[in-house]
Amino acid sequence: AALKDGLRSQVSAALKEGRVTPTELCQRCLALIKSTKFLNAYITVAEETALKQAEESEERYKRGQPLGILDGIPIAVKDNFNTAGIETTCASNMLKGYISPYNATVVQKLLDHGAVLLGKTNLDEFAMGSGSTDGVFGPVRNPWSYSKQYKEKSVPRSHSADAESKWVITGGSSGGSAAAVSSFTCFAALGSDTGGSTRNPAAHCGVVGLKPTYGLISRHGLIPLVNSMDVPGILTRCVDDAAVLLGSLAGHDPKDSTTIQDDFKPFELPSLTDVSKLSIGIPKEYHAPGLSSEILALWSKAADLFKNAGAKVVEVSLPHTPYSIVCYHVLCTAEVASNMARFDGLEYGHRSAMKDSTESMYAATRREGFNDVVRGRILSGNYFLLKQNYEKYFVKAQKVRRLIANDFVKVFRSGVDVLLTPTTLSDAAPYMEFIQEDNRTRSAQDDILTQAANMAGLPAINVPTALSERGLPVGLQFIGRSFQEKQLLTVAKWFEKQVQFPVIQLEEVKKHDNGAFQHQKSASFS
Amino acid sequence: QKVSVEVLDHLEHLALVDFRDSEGVERLQKAIEFADQLHEVNTDGVEPMDSVLEDRCLYLREDDVTEGNCTKELLENAREKVEEYFVAPPGNIPLPKLEE
């Protein structure tokens, strides 16, 4: 089967009919991972266990008893999810060598559905960042840097080293997962989303990135950043696949008391033909400073697309949007200060050789284990939580959070079904340019369009829309009502079908793909 | 308004993470300036929001033991242990003060 296929329609059918076996699929993905190693998307490749899982899946298919659509499907998981028996590092020295004793609930669920876990993907250290450039294993390279589409648009130069220096970032912090899905080394990947960490790299890598409603998917086993905003994120090549993944992951988990207890029913997405009953909101504050004219034009075109198809398109206002980044800055650093306190070298992770006293051992361990970004956030967070600052900063930020969440409530109450916004301010920046500014500045800039959805706990999805003038992906974001993922994804799927985002043309993939399927014009298969 | 040395020292003790150099201190200063923008927002009469799920009752399970007995697995990741104990260096020794 072609590595580019959608799960539900193509690959699953191929597996069921025996046109391809799970082990073949697994081996091809593993081979592609090896040949795309320069992307640095994977921190750990679990080759042996993956092949074993594939063999077990094959047995099930032979007996005619597959566990479902995901049986035998190769997937990747961001390295901040605990995976039993497999190293989980969070791209930090603090957890180098840490072998998880348990599976995160979402990982367990995927394995229970027969998915094949290929490996752990690269990220910014402890998911702090918007470029996937600040982990100890180095930055992740956007596969589109090596695409025919990007190379064609680059100014040709005689110096061969230029190709090396022109590669662009994936965005972050789930850059490894986005790159893995984008380069066809897996069919879906797990990311995490606290301020946009799934949607941002999805936009830059041209894949679908879904941030579910807070409370829908279990965070048990996801190494926490901000307990009140973190969610596991889903990265796939088409919206239908995201719905499949969501179906297998959502639902109450007794091990995570912040998951809601309502029954969750997995759904198949209808193919909308009539959008006349839909009301799309265009929040004017998302025309943020720094938004590229290209993306602005694309956003406008998308709004027209809905209008011309008969939907009601209205401008709305979310007045506190400009403050979401500042609010996030305070709440995030405060929760980080608390969450990072568990890393003291005693029970797991890195431990310093210092043994003069418990406190000096803790301090040395944390100095050695954390990078500047993490340490900076811990210190800032502690500052905002000091008795003299608590009301002024932390409680104040919590009040502003309510105002931000209320903005959304008001808009949805006025009859809007789904909001349409850009996902990022521009297409992916070259790495050399991106690292000119520090992590906090970058995060503040890049999270501006995605952060508010985390603040309000709302579901949001990036849908790859078009290529920029530089030949790089640009995506648009849909934000939906709480727990209305079906409506959100239905609209996203309709939009995906209209835009027909092009398939990435990568040399490495051509070599490994014995394309048995003819219909590969677009990344979306309905 | 610069953060005083006393506060910097206090933060290092609370966080058990050091500023390392003047750059670290600068970073904190900038973070505070950035956060000060919050005060532009009028929040009179607004209640702080702890969680977006505040309208629901979170799940509380029965106080029954359902898992455990995993001492071996848990000790595996610790660097220094003796029998079933994690070993820590001597406690109750305060950290030295921050030199400016």
Side-chain angles (χ1 to χ4, degrees):
Chain A
L3 291 168
K4 301 175 189 176
D5 296 338
L7 285 174
R8 186 181 282 276
S9 50
Q10 318 277 76
V11 170
S12 265
L15 284 170
K16 245 204 203 133
E17 293 160 25
R19 278 177 281 146
V20 69
T21 66
T23 45
E24 271 167 9
L25 211 53
C26 183
Q27 277 159 353
R28 271 193 227 163
C29 286
L30 289 171
L32 192 55
I33 292 174
K34 285 201 180 88
S35 66
T36 54
K37 206 155 177 213
F38 54 90
L39 294 177
N40 202 18
Y42 288 81
I43 294 176
T44 303
V45 180
E47 192 162 332
E48 271 180 47
T49 53
L51 285 168
K52 187 156 162 286
Q53 285 159 8
E55 276 163 24
E56 286 166 10
S57 171
E58 202 159 307
E59 282 306 305
R60 291 191 290 268
Y61 274 104
K62 281 202 188 119
R63 291 198 307 268
Q65 291 169 337
L67 295 167
I69 294 186
L70 285 177
D71 206 334
I73 301 292
I75 50 128
V77 168
K78 185 174 180 182
D79 208 14
N80 59 353
F81 286 91
N82 276 285
T83 42
I86 299 175
E87 195 180 359
T88 300
T89 66
C90 293
S92 175
N93 279 318
M94 188 58 91
L95 287 177
K96 252 193 194 161
Y98 168 70
I99 311 282
S100 314
Y102 72 108
N103 279 322
T105 297
V106 289
V107 172
Q108 190 60 54
K109 283 190 171 185
L110 288 176
L111 293 174
D112 288 344
H113 279 85
V116 172
L117 177 55
L118 293 173
K120 311 298 288 298
T121 58
N122 205 349
L123 59 155
D124 281 302
E125 182 160 338
F126 279 110
M128 299 185 200
S130 59
S132 302
T133 50
D134 276 324
V136 291
F137 298 102
V140 185
R141 299 186 181 204
N142 192 328
W144 284 83
S145 315
Y146 303 94
S147 68
K148 189 159 171 241
Q149 290 105 326
Y150 179 62
K151 288 189 195 156
E152 274 171 1
K153 295 294 179 102
S154 302
V155 177
R157 273 180 254 202
S158 50
H159 206 310
S160 61
D162 275 343
E164 253 305 289
S165 62
K166 277 205 312 255
W167 62 267
V168 298
I169 58 165
T170 50
S173 61
S174 311
S177 283
V181 174
S182 172
S183 60
F184 305 100
T185 57
C186 61
F187 283 82
L190 287 185
S192 66
D193 197 311
T194 306
S197 291
T198 290
R199 293 160 285 155
N200 176 293
H204 287 316
C205 294
V207 297
V208 170
L210 171 63
K211 173 213 169 292
T213 310
Y214 180 86
L216 186 62
I217 298 187
S218 174
R219 290 181 299 111
H220 175 74
L222 165 60
I223 294 171
L225 185 61
V226 182
N227 297 74
S228 67
M229 296 185 216
D230 288 351
V231 291
I234 293 169
L235 293 133
T236 55
R237 287 197 281 278
C238 65
V239 178
D240 268 330
D241 290 354
V244 171
L245 265 287
L246 184 69
S248 64
L249 295 177
H252 177 62
D253 179 15
K255 292 184 182 173
D256 177 358
S257 70
T258 60
T259 51
I260 60 160
Q261 294 158 72
D262 301 6
D263 267 324
F264 175 80
K265 289 188 192 58
F267 49 78
E268 257 187 62
L269 295 175
S271 290
L272 261 189
T273 42
D274 174 23
V275 294
S276 59
K277 294 190 189 64
L278 218 52
S279 173
I280 306 287
I282 310 286
K284 62 182 191 206
E285 292 83 3
Y286 278 67
H287 185 164
L291 185 66
S292 82
S293 49
E294 233 183 352
I295 299 194
L296 181 61
L298 212 61
W299 185 20
S300 188
K301 216 167 144 195
D304 287 340
L305 194 71
F306 278 99
K307 207 181 294 177
N308 295 337
K312 183 165 165 228
V313 179
V314 286
E315 189 190 73
V316 295
S317 175
L318 298 167
H320 296 92
T321 303
Y323 293 101
S324 82
I325 283 296
V326 187
C327 185
Y328 178 62
H329 167 70
V330 173
L331 293 179
C332 175
T333 50
E335 292 217 35
V336 160
S338 170
N339 279 323
M340 295 294 132
R342 70 193 68 195
F343 299 107
D344 55 22
L346 269 186
E347 302 97 336
Y348 44 73
H350 174 69
R351 178 177 178 141
S352 166
M354 161 69 72
K355 42 178 72 176
D356 290 353
S357 69
T358 314
E359 284 207 23
S360 65
M361 185 279 275
Y362 289 169
T365 295
R366 292 157 71 79
R367 184 189 318 128
E368 293 161 22
F370 292 139
N371 72 2
D372 286 348
V373 178
V374 179
R375 282 182 13 257
R377 290 200 196 189
I378 294 173
L379 288 163
S380 303
N382 275 103
Y383 179 82
F384 298 132
L385 291 171
L386 288 176
K387 259 186 270 198
Q388 68 252 39
N389 296 329
Y390 196 81
E391 279 290 324
K392 218 171 93 163
Y393 290 99
F394 184 68
V395 177
K396 179 79 180 180
Q398 287 189 307
K399 293 181 179 178
V400 174
R401 180 175 186 176
R402 183 178 296 284
L403 292 175
I404 294 170
N406 284 347
D407 280 355
F408 283 101
V409 170
K410 284 194 201 114
V411 161
F412 285 126
R413 208 169 273 166
S414 74
V416 166
D417 296 308
V418 162
L419 296 167
L420 168 63
T421 80
T423 313
T424 54
L425 293 174
S426 68
D427 56 4
Y431 174 71
M432 298 309 286
E433 199 184 289
F434 185 78
I435 54 174
Q436 298 294 320
E437 293 275 8
D438 73 75
N439 185 293
R440 190 181 58 76
T441 311
R442 283 297 182 204
S443 297
Q445 291 164 350
D446 302 332
D447 288 345
I448 227 161
L449 301 167
T450 48
Q451 212 299 303
N454 298 83
M455 215 37 103
L458 298 172
I461 186 170
N462 171 76
V463 180
T465 307
L467 292 185
S468 69
E469 268 175 34
R470 286 162 67 216
L472 296 172
V474 167
L476 290 177
Q477 172 178 239
F478 293 92
I479 304 175
R481 300 168 185 238
S482 261
F483 302 107
Q484 301 304 310
E485 269 78 355
K486 186 168 179 188
Q487 181 182 56
L488 177 69
L489 290 173
T490 301
V491 175
K493 179 174 163 173
W494 180 86
F495 182 71
E496 176 188 59
K497 191 160 183 207
Q498 308 305 309
V499 299
Q500 299 280 297
F501 184 78
V503 180
I504 185 178
Q505 283 155 41
L506 279 177
E507 270 308 311
E508 283 72 18
V509 179
K510 275 213 206 101
K511 287 186 218 140
H512 288 269
D513 190 17
N514 313 351
F517 290 85
Q518 309 88 320
H519 309 290
Q520 287 166 43
K521 287 188 216 81
S522 76
S524 62
F525 296 84
S526 49
Chain B
Q1 195 171 6
K2 291 267 171 194
V3 181
S4 69
V5 180
E6 285 80 33
V7 173
L8 291 177
D9 189 50
H10 187 42
L11 286 176
E12 282 202 343
H13 275 81
L14 282 177
L16 284 179
V17 146
D18 65 335
F19 284 97
R20 196 165 293 193
D21 50 30
S22 59
E23 209 187 302
V25 180
E26 248 313 290
R27 204 179 283 130
L28 176 67
Q29 283 294 151
K30 287 213 190 94
I32 299 169
E33 269 170 46
F34 190 65
D36 281 333
Q37 292 173 69
L38 273 180
H39 303 115
E40 293 167 19
V41 187
N42 183 345
T43 52
D44 290 344
V46 181
E47 282 298 300
M49 180 183 240
D50 290 315
S51 165
V52 295
L53 299 176
E54 61 188 4
D55 292 334
R56 296 171 185 258
C57 218
L58 290 190
Y59 173 73
L60 284 179
R61 65 191 184 101
E62 290 303 312
D63 191 11
D64 294 324
V65 175
T66 52
E67 26 175 32
N69 288 320
C70 47
T71 314
K72 189 164 154 286
E73 287 95 323
L74 293 180
L75 284 175
E76 230 149 88
N77 278 302
R79 299 283 164 99
E80 284 185 47
K81 50 209 172 196
V82 164
E83 291 183 15
E84 294 188 346
Y85 294 88
F86 295 112
V87 180
N92 280 328
I93 299 172
L95 271 183
K97 284 224 174 267
L98 169 84
E99 317 299 328
E100 173 58 298

